[in-house]
Amino acid sequence: MRAIALLLVLLAVPASSTAQESRVPGPEITRGKGDKCVADTAYMRRFHMDVLTHQRDEVVQRGVRVEKFSLRECVACHATRGDDGKPVSINAPGEFCASCHEYAAVTIDCFQCHATKPEQGKQARLPFPMTAAASPESAQ
Amino acid sequence: MSGFDIDRRKFLGAAAAAAGVALAPGVTLYGVGAAARSPDEPASAEVRWGMLIDVGKCASGCNACVTACAEENGLTGHGRQATDAQWIRKVSVKDPGTGAQKNVPVMCQHCAEPPCVDVCPTGASFKRADGIVLVDKHICIGCRYCMIACPYKARSFIHEDLSDQKPYAPRGKGTVESCTFCVHRVDKGETPACVEACADKGGGAMLFGDLADPDSEISRRVATYASQQIRADLGLDPGVRYRNL
């Protein structure tokens, strides 16, 4: 009994320490604009690849374009600007996509074809209004 | 489109919808002739996008359509005509007997029976429900069979790494591409860039519209004036028709 009680106490100690104390290195993720993404972080982390794969068939083959998971809007929100005010390629090291994908060692080839910077000279916007809560900055 | 036509459509649509409710439980008749497509609806098979080009109005020195297409879709050249991407080009034809010369803008003809779709081994080359023939570059493996099959030489292969693509016109190395009728604009209810440029800066030779709608401008003109398809003998039924060819 005393051994079990001691074991429980020992197990409880690490569980009570917070995530910031974790010794496992994690990715440094640059935040996008606005207060939140179109879906919560846990969902996006797990499902963004499935969303993109399904979404692209809907857009290209069926022409269904109003989806809050538009890749263009992802880039528009998550792209950053350099010191000179010009947009930085979202595919560059340290930027949003690379910050996780370098950590996870998963190569993505989206941006061989897709633009890495939001539309130049125009406000980042979908052709049609976003159905989900849009970040206030991207709607400017 | 005159206001009268839109009102008539809405009336018919409302009448049809009202009639549909009375038909039977669970059976609905949808109204005819909707306005510009809502974005969450898929491309409709009731529409067939096409173009009518009046070659007589196409001036020999003008390349407004070609420039506009390159600008709109982010086409970059390397000065190598044999392998550079080309979505629309002007072909000069001369009648050998009379010496009469014509300039014909040729792009993907968006055939109803596209040979590029027939030969594609992966299904990347496909015809959308509304008649626009596209390459799904997620699936394209770059075999270039469609380039061989196309009688109009509409397709191009991308040989180099690209950067700074237009956000609404993705294009990448190792895939095949061709004129999309500016599908990103058409889905918003606009016309292709070449048509707009020709109307603004060129001779107003190009007309874009819905061939399946008998009331559209293009359908009326095609029904009134003689027009031809290039290589109509192949039986592909292109969506692009030419007048005064």
Side-chain angles (χ1 to χ4, degrees), chain A residues 56 60-66 72 112-115 117 119 127-128, chain B residues 37 39-40 42-43 126 128 136 138 164-165 167 170-172 187-188:
Chain A
R56 70 189 193 187
V60 178
Q61 293 168 11
R62 296 183 69 225
V64 177
R65 285 183 188 267
V66 69
R72 253 195 290 167
Q112 282 184 10
C113 284
H114 284 275
K117 297 172 190 162
E119 209 163 319
F128 310 104
Chain B
R37 175 166 76 87
D40 56 351
F126 71 103
R128 212 168 71 158
D136 187 343
H138 306 112
D164 286 324
Q165 294 94 328
R171 42 192 301 263
D187 284 352
K188 277 192 274 183

Side-chain angles (χ1 to χ4, degrees), chain B residues 3-244:
Chain B
F4 174 77
D5 282 342
I6 293 174
D7 291 342
R8 182 168 63 118
R9 279 233 184 95
K10 277 191 186 157
F11 171 76
L12 283 173
V21 169
L23 272 180
V27 176
T28 317
L29 179 70
Y30 289 100
V32 291
R37 175 166 76 87
S38 146
D40 56 351
E41 284 169 16
S44 164
E46 289 162 30
V47 166
R48 191 193 169 188
W49 296 117
M51 218 184 259
L52 176 64
I53 299 177
D54 188 343
V55 177
K57 292 186 188 167
C58 187
S60 66
C62 175
N63 62 350
C65 54
V66 177
T67 312
C69 174
E71 167 71 34
E72 176 73 19
N73 295 293
L75 307 186
T76 47
H78 299 273
R80 301 180 218 129
Q81 201 176 19
T83 53
D84 280 346
Q86 149 238 295
W87 290 23
I88 181 174
R89 67 195 188 276
K90 284 189 62 175
V91 179
S92 296
V93 292
K94 188 160 97 167
D95 184 339
T98 61
Q101 203 154 15
K102 289 192 174 80
N103 305 280
V104 189
V106 178
M107 71 293 278
C108 169
Q109 305 282 287
H110 297 278
C111 309
E113 310 278 337
C116 61
V117 173
D118 292 337
V119 302
C120 179
T122 60
S125 178
F126 71 103
K127 187 177 76 162
R128 212 168 71 158
D130 56 359
I132 301 184
V133 178
L134 297 167
V135 179
D136 187 343
K137 292 163 203 184
H138 306 112
I139 308 176
C140 177
I141 57 171
C143 74
R144 293 169 261 188
Y145 199 169
C146 60
M147 291 174 68
I148 302 171
C150 178
Y152 308 104
K153 288 195 191 161
R155 292 260 163 109
S156 306
F157 181 76
I158 306 178
H159 296 263
E160 281 103 1
D161 280 310
L162 296 177
S163 59
D164 286 324
Q165 294 94 328
K166 298 283 177 177
Y168 41 79
R171 42 192 301 263
K173 173 177 169 181
T175 59
V176 171
E177 58 174 9
S178 68
C179 159
T180 58
F181 265 174
C182 283
V183 64
H184 55 279
R185 290 170 63 119
V186 169
D187 284 352
K188 277 192 274 183
E190 296 171 9
T191 56
C194 53
V195 176
E196 194 175 296
C198 187
D200 286 343
K201 300 175 212 149
M206 299 169 95
L207 175 67
F208 178 81
D210 179 5
L211 288 169
D213 175 12
D215 288 326
S216 68
E217 179 66 29
I218 190 174
S219 294
R220 287 189 215 170
R221 277 204 215 167
V222 161
T224 314
Y225 306 110
S227 60
Q228 299 151 266
Q229 299 159 325
I230 302 178
R231 293 305 306 273
D233 58 312
L234 294 172
L236 308 174
D237 189 17
V240 180
R241 303 188 71 98
Y242 294 84
R243 269 187 72 186
N244 301 318

Side-chain angles (χ1 to χ4, degrees), chain A:
Chain A
M1 278 305 291
R2 276 168 62 110
I4 291 169
L6 188 63
L7 192 64
L8 283 171
V9 167
L10 283 172
L11 284 171
V13 167
S16 67
S17 69
T18 59
Q20 282 105 357
E21 299 296 321
S22 168
R23 288 171 295 163
V24 177
E28 297 279 326
I29 305 171
T30 52
R31 288 189 58 85
K33 299 191 184 75
D35 50 357
K36 62 182 184 132
C37 185
V38 294
D40 64 77
T41 310
Y43 178 87
M44 283 308 238
R45 210 173 263 161
R46 170 61 187 87
F47 289 112
H48 69 277
M49 61 292 278
D50 304 300
V51 161
L52 286 169
T53 308
H54 171 72
Q55 161 72 354
R56 70 189 193 187
D57 289 339
E58 286 291 302
V59 175
V60 178
Q61 293 168 11
R62 296 183 69 225
V64 177
R65 285 183 188 267
V66 69
E67 283 286 348
K68 55 185 183 175
F69 300 111
S70 154
L71 185 62
R72 253 195 290 167
E73 284 298 306
C74 301
V75 174
C77 269
H78 285 284
T80 57
R81 292 188 178 265
D83 294 330
D84 55 356
K86 293 205 180 127
V88 177
S89 167
I90 201 172
N91 213 21
E95 293 298 310
F96 179 71
C97 305
S99 60
C100 262
H101 275 271
E102 276 173 12
Y103 175 81
V106 175
T107 310
I108 51 170
D109 60 356
C110 321
F111 298 106
Q112 282 184 10
C113 284
H114 284 275
T116 55
K117 297 172 190 162
E119 209 163 319
Q120 306 290 330
K122 288 185 185 171
Q123 298 306 317
R125 50 154 176 77
L126 276 173
F128 310 104
M130 279 176 79
T131 51
S135 63
E137 277 179 314
S138 80
Q140 280 165 7

